[in-house]
Amino acid sequence: MSLYYTYETPVGELTFFEKNGFLVGIVAGRVAGEGELGETSVLREAYTQVNAYLKGQRQAFSLPFLFGGTPFSEAVWRALMEIPYGETRTYKQIAEAIGKSTACRAVGRAIHTNPLLIVIPCHRVVGSDRSLTGYAGGLEMKRKLLDLESCFKHSFDV
């Protein structure tokens, strides 16, 4: 059974999705998903951990999650999870990390389909010139997340 629930957070509303006891999605905004609206212990714990992160009280997550993507997308998402808190990488660095140094655009597409905002830290990926690039939660949210992690203390070109 699939369930979803929307919570208010320091960066706005986030909708969390669960399927069979696993977190399968976090998206920006209030979004109706497949399944039923309902809060569960998995969703509540995911919200608790994400909210603690957003308040500067947590740097890593310990959640039961699944992501379903192509083998390439999953390799990209795993590489994103290896970016340490407070650091950034470029699309090229992610491509190199998965052994596909010429696949920067494909890496960008995989990042765009990241099912778990914040938990899979795609906000830590910036352009090769260190500029902010697209983010499913919007560039303002990306800026807030990077500022939270103290990655940058200057304004970005957006």
Side-chain angles (χ1 to χ4, degrees):
M1 171 173 280
S2 297
L3 295 157
Y4 65 95
Y5 200 80
T6 302
Y7 298 92
E8 185 62 41
T9 75
V11 293
E13 291 182 323
L14 295 175
T15 301
F16 293 70
F17 297 87
E18 175 197 331
K19 186 170 186 176
N20 299 324
F22 291 95
L23 182 66
V24 295
I26 300 173
V27 299
R30 181 175 295 272
V31 180
E34 292 181 22
E36 298 178 23
L37 175 64
E39 187 178 37
T40 67
S41 60
V42 169
L43 296 175
R44 195 171 19 264
E45 179 60 23
Y47 162 73
T48 298
Q49 290 188 30
V50 168
N51 201 46
Y53 161 84
L54 293 170
K55 292 179 176 181
Q57 302 165 345
R58 180 179 201 95
Q59 294 184 1
F61 301 98
S62 175
L63 297 165
F65 68 86
L66 293 174
F67 42 67
T70 66
F72 181 86
S73 292
E74 290 187 13
V76 169
W77 300 335
R78 282 188 192 87
L80 296 177
M81 294 176 71
E82 296 297 318
I83 304 171
Y85 181 94
E87 296 184 20
T88 59
R89 299 292 184 270
T90 64
Y91 294 92
K92 180 159 184 62
Q93 288 173 313
I94 298 300
E96 290 168 347
I98 64 167
K100 305 282 185 183
S101 61
T102 61
C104 296
R105 285 193 175 141
V107 163
R109 283 191 299 278
I111 289 171
H112 178 72
T113 61
N114 172 10
L116 294 166
L117 284 186
I118 301 170
V119 171
I120 298 176
C122 57
H123 61 276
R124 296 179 187 153
V125 180
V126 297
S128 59
D129 62 356
R130 308 287 292 157
S131 63
L132 284 186
T133 55
Y135 184 66
L139 291 181
E140 185 59 33
M141 182 187 292
K142 184 171 186 166
R143 179 180 291 114
K144 287 179 182 179
L145 296 173
L146 291 173
D147 285 346
L148 170 72
E149 294 186 15
S150 300
C151 292
F152 299 99
K153 291 297 183 189
H154 64 277
S155 60
F156 291 97
D157 297 328
V158 287

